[in-house]
Amino acid sequence: MPWDRNQMAARAAAELEDGMYVNLGIGIPTLVANYVGDKDITLQSENGMLGMGPFPFEGEEDPDLINAGKQTITELDRTAYFDSATSFAMIRGGKIAAAILGAMEVAENGDLANWMIPGKLIKGMGGAMDLVAGVGRVIVVMDHTNKAGDSKILRECTLPLTGKGVVDRIITNLGVLDVVDGGLKIVELADGISEDELRNATQATIVT
Amino acid sequence: MPWDRNQMAARAAAELEDGMYVNLGIGIPTLVANYVGDKDITLQSENGMLGMGPFPFEGEEDPDLINAGKQTITELDRTAYFDSATSFAMIRGGKIAAAILGAMEVAENGDLANWMIPGKLIKGMGGAMDLVAGVGRVIVVMDHTNKAGDSKILRECTLPLTGKGVVDRIITNLGVLDVVDGGLKIVELADGISEDELRNATQATIVT
Amino acid sequence: MNKVYKTAAEALEGVLHDGMFIAAGGFGLCGIPELLIDAIRDAGTKDLTIASNNCGIDDFGLGILLQTRQIKKMISSYVGENAEFMRQYLSKELELEFNPQGTLAERMRAGGSGIAGFYTRTGVGTLIAEGKEHKDFDGQTHILERSIVADLAIVKAWKADDTGNLVFRKTARNFNPPAAMCGKICVVEVEEIVPRGSIDPDQIHLPGIYVHRIIQGTHEKRIEQRTTRKKESA
Amino acid sequence: MNKVYKTAAEALEGVLHDGMFIAAGGFGLCGIPELLIDAIRDAGTKDLTIASNNCGIDDFGLGILLQTRQIKKMISSYVGENAEFMRQYLSKELELEFNPQGTLAERMRAGGSGIAGFYTRTGVGTLIAEGKEHKDFDGQTHILERSIVADLAIVKAWKADDTGNLVFRKTARNFNPPAAMCGKICVVEVEEIVPRGSIDPDQIHLPGIYVHRIIQGTHEKRIEQRTTRKKESA
C-alpha cells in the first residue's frame, strides 16, 4: 500500500539528525515536524525565526508571530528572531542543513519545479528559489503521480524551474529516490510497493 | 594670523547643521566635537556606534566602549550599537551627511591621499576609503603646508589615493577652499591672511 | 531634529508624488505599515511602483491600493492571497516583477548599503535569470542582482524613541529593516514612541539614522491564517 | 546538540591545521577572542592566513601569533599599533593584504550569506582597485569585491545560551557577527553562558545557527588608549 501523507512525513523526518537546522515547506512538509520525536531539530521559518514552535492554543494567537505560511505559531526556549535579509543570508549561506519541500515536478537531473503554471497559477516563488539554491540538502516530498495519474518524476521538467539540479532526494507515496549520475536510484520502496510498480509510475530514468 | 588647531576645528563645526549624522576622523577632526554647541549632531564611530559621547571620567572607562581611534568613550541617551557590516552599510549607503577628515595631500580635482607613504608608513586605510566613497560630503581639515613648508594642496596627489575626486571642501590654517570645476575656489580666508598669502602657499590651481 | 509627526498624513506630506517608487515592510499581513498605506490611499497618489514581499489581501494592507488602482507595478515574491491582484494582472492593468524572497530582501539591504549589485546562485537556470549577467565563482554559476533604492520606505515597528531608534517585535520584523534601509526617505509607524534613553542601546534593531519621520498609532494587526491547536493535544 | 566545551583548547580540537584560513572578530583590542588566540598559540598551528581588522599589539591579541611566527598572511584594514608586524612585513616574513574596513566587514558578511561578490564604490581609483573588475552602475564606477569564507571563525561575545544564541556588549560587537557568519566552523568565547530561554528572542544579536562551539572564560579586556576627562571639566 502506498504511504499516506503522514507516512511520507514520517519518512522525511527520518532524514533529519540531531543538531540540524531545517526549513519545512508548506503542505506535507509541514507535517514532518510531528515526527521528529526526540531529535534535537531547530526549525527555521524564512520570514525571520529560528526555533519555530507548535500552533498556539486558542485565544493565544499573536498577530506578530506567524510562520512563512502566514499561520499563527509559538516560540520555544531556543527561539531567535531576525529580519528577512538575515534570514536569507543564513539560507543562501548554507547554514540550513536541509529543506523539505513540496513539488509539482522533479526531473532526473535534480531540476525542481514548484512555483508556477504558466497562464494558470501565478502566486510566486516566495523563498523557494533561495532555499533550493542555498541549503545543504534539498528533499522533495510529494505524491508520485498527479491527479491524472501521470508521473511527477520526469526526464525533464515541463514547468518553469525553481532550481536547476538542486534536488538530492525524493520521497513519494511509492518510495524514496536519490538523484545520482545518469538518473534516479531507488533507495527504498513503500510498504507493499514493488520495484516494478514504482518504475511504471516513473517517467524519469531509473539507474541501478 | 593663521588659524590654530582649535580655530580650524571650530570652522569645521560651522559646516554642520541640526539633525546631521557625522563621522569625525582622528587628529584635528576629533576636536570638532568640542565646537558643535547647541546643534543637534549625532556622531558616528565606524567601529559600531551612533551617538558617541565624551571621554569617560577617570575610573569609569569601559573596555567594551571605544571609538575608532581605540580611545575609551561614553554613550548618550540617543546611542545605538551595531556590528561593523551594518556600520559600513550606513556609511557606503550615504546615510552619513558628512565626514570630517585629516589628509596628507588633497588635489584640485578632489583626490585625497591620507593613508600611506610608500616605504615609510604602512598602517592601513582603516575606514577612510569607505567613508570618502560613501558619505554625503567630505570635508578635509589639515595644515595648508607640511613641515617643510610645501603645499599639501596640489595639482595632483603624489601619494597613493584614499579616494578619487571625493573631497568637497578643504579647511586649513589659512582658509577655506571648495573643489569646483577647473580647480579650487577660495571660500574664506583665515583672520589676517591675504588672498596672496593663501595663493602662494597653494600649488593647486585656484579659480575665481 | 524633530522626527515625530502627529498623523500618517502629516508624516507623508511633501514626500508623495505620482509615479514614485515605494519600498514597504511586512510579510503577509504581519508587520505591515497599515496607517501609512491608508494615508497613501487617502492622498490618491497614482502610478506607484511598490517593492513589497506580498500585496496584502483584497481589503487590507497594500490590497487597498489595488482597489483604488493606485499601483502600477509590484515587485514581490508571493501574491497568492489576493484575488483582485490576479484579476488586474491577468487583464494587464498591473505590472508584476517576481523576485525570489531572499533576493528581494538583499536587494533592499544592498540599496541602503551602497552595494550596487551582488552575485547569488538563487534563480540560476530559471526564468528569474533571463537577461541577467551570469558569472562563475569557484566553479558555480551566479547571477548579478541589482540593488533597490526607493523614493520612500514605509515601515512598521513596535517601538521608537524620538531619535528614530527602532525595536521590532517577533516575526513582525521581517522586511521592515531592509525596506527602511533602502528608502531615500523613511517614514515609520509604531505602536509606541518612548523617550530617548529608554531603549537599551545594545537592543536597538535599526538605528535612527535610517528613520526620517515617525508616527504613533493604533494598529488592527489582522491575522491572515488563524491556526491553533486544542488544549487537550498539549 | 551540545555546543558547550570546557576550555578553548577543547573547543578547537580537530579544527586546527597548518595553512588554514581564520576569520577573527574584534576591533583593536576590543571584543577580541583572547582565549582562543592563546589556545591557537599553544596548539602551534602554523602558516595561518587571518582576516581581522587589526593584528593586536605586540604582546596581546593576534600580536601573540606574530611573536610565535604562526601567521603567514594578514587581511586587515589597519595594523598601525604593532611594531613586530611592521618588522616582519618589511623583512617580507609576513604577507599583508589591505582591505578597506567596510569592504572587509562586507566580504565576511557576504561569505556567510551566499553572496559570491558585490560591487562597491569604495576604493575606486586607488591601489585597492588594481586587478579588480570595474563596472559602471547608474554612471558611477564600482569594483567587484569577493566574499570571504574562512575555515574557522574565532569570535568573542558577551553572553551565549547553550544553543549558541549570542549577545554582544557595546562596541565590542564590531567584526564579531560578520566573522562568525563567514566561518565554516565558528568557535565563540563568552563571559557567561546562560540557560536557553533566558535571552529575549527579540534581543539575540546572532542566532545560534552560526555558532558551533562555545566556551565560557575570564577575559582580560585590555584597554589600548585609556582616554579620560577630568571631573571638573564636566
Side-chain angles (χ1 to χ4, degrees), chain C residues 106 109 114-120 133 135 137-138 142 144 146 168-170 173 202-203 205, chain D residues 106 109 114-121 133 135 137-138 142 144 146 168-170 173 202-203 205:
Chain C
E106 188 70 13
R109 179 195 176 272
I115 303 293
F118 57 90
Y119 287 101
T120 174
E133 185 189 316
K135 199 175 178 78
F137 295 94
D138 302 326
H142 293 68
L144 175 62
R146 292 293 315 274
F168 301 90
R169 188 170 173 274
K170 302 189 189 284
R173 196 181 321 181
D202 269 326
Q203 306 296 16
H205 293 140
Chain D
E106 189 69 12
R109 180 196 175 272
I115 303 293
F118 57 90
Y119 287 100
T120 174
R121 293 203 313 278
E133 187 188 315
K135 200 176 178 78
F137 295 95
D138 302 326
H142 293 68
L144 175 61
R146 292 294 314 275
F168 301 90
R169 189 171 172 275
K170 301 188 190 284
R173 196 180 323 181
D202 270 325
Q203 306 297 13
H205 293 140

Side-chain angles (χ1 to χ4, degrees), chain C residues 3-232:
Chain C
K3 297 183 174 180
V4 179
Y5 288 70
K6 284 214 181 73
T7 65
E10 280 179 39
L12 290 174
E13 206 169 291
V15 304
L16 297 177
H17 59 87
D18 291 350
M20 75 186 301
F21 183 12
I22 298 177
F27 180 92
L29 302 184
C30 180
I32 59 171
E34 305 177 12
L35 310 175
L36 292 163
I37 292 168
D38 283 354
I40 291 170
R41 178 200 51 204
D42 294 346
T45 319
K46 289 190 307 284
D47 294 326
L48 301 173
T49 295
I50 301 184
S52 168
N53 190 58
N54 315 91
C55 195
I57 57 175
D58 285 345
D59 66 338
F60 196 64
L62 290 173
I64 290 175
L65 304 181
L66 286 176
Q67 300 281 1
T68 54
R69 312 286 168 86
Q70 288 173 260
I71 303 178
K72 190 179 84 179
K73 179 181 177 182
M74 286 298 300
I75 303 173
S76 303
S77 89
Y78 193 84
V79 294
E81 292 92 352
N82 198 311
E84 176 64 14
F85 191 107
M86 286 304 129
R87 200 200 57 71
Q88 290 189 23
Y89 175 67
L90 293 173
S91 66
K92 299 199 196 302
E93 294 165 57
L94 180 67
E95 293 171 54
L96 171 60
E97 177 189 320
F98 270 133
N99 276 203
Q101 191 173 150
T103 295
L104 180 59
E106 188 70 13
R107 291 181 70 196
M108 289 182 181
R109 179 195 176 272
S113 306
I115 303 293
F118 57 90
Y119 287 101
T120 174
R121 293 202 314 277
T122 300
V124 169
T126 76
L127 289 178
I128 295 305
E130 288 178 9
K132 288 177 186 161
E133 185 189 316
H134 287 58
K135 199 175 178 78
D136 283 5
F137 295 94
D138 302 326
Q140 290 198 294
T141 305
H142 293 68
I143 54 173
L144 175 62
E145 293 282 0
R146 292 293 315 274
S147 62
I148 284 177
V149 177
D151 297 316
L152 170 68
I154 54 174
V155 162
K156 156 74 170 62
W158 184 38
K159 290 183 183 179
D161 69 22
D162 66 300
T163 72
N165 289 318
L166 300 186
V167 177
F168 301 90
R169 188 170 173 274
K170 302 189 189 284
T171 57
R173 196 181 321 181
N174 56 59
F175 275 81
N176 282 296
M181 290 173 77
C182 80
K184 289 181 200 161
I185 301 282
C186 172
V187 182
V188 180
E189 57 183 70
V190 300
E191 298 176 43
E192 190 185 359
I193 297 175
V194 299
R196 63 181 77 184
S198 53
I199 306 174
D200 179 344
D202 269 326
Q203 306 296 16
I204 290 161
H205 293 140
L206 192 78
I209 191 169
Y210 291 108
V211 175
H212 302 93
R213 301 179 181 191
I214 319 161
I215 53 156
Q216 177 179 311
T218 305
H219 292 79
E220 177 183 341
K221 298 211 274 187
R222 200 183 293 187
I223 291 175
E224 200 163 348
Q225 302 280 350
R226 188 177 300 271
T227 316
T228 59
R229 61 186 157 138
K230 293 252 161 49
K231 282 266 182 194
E232 303 79 274

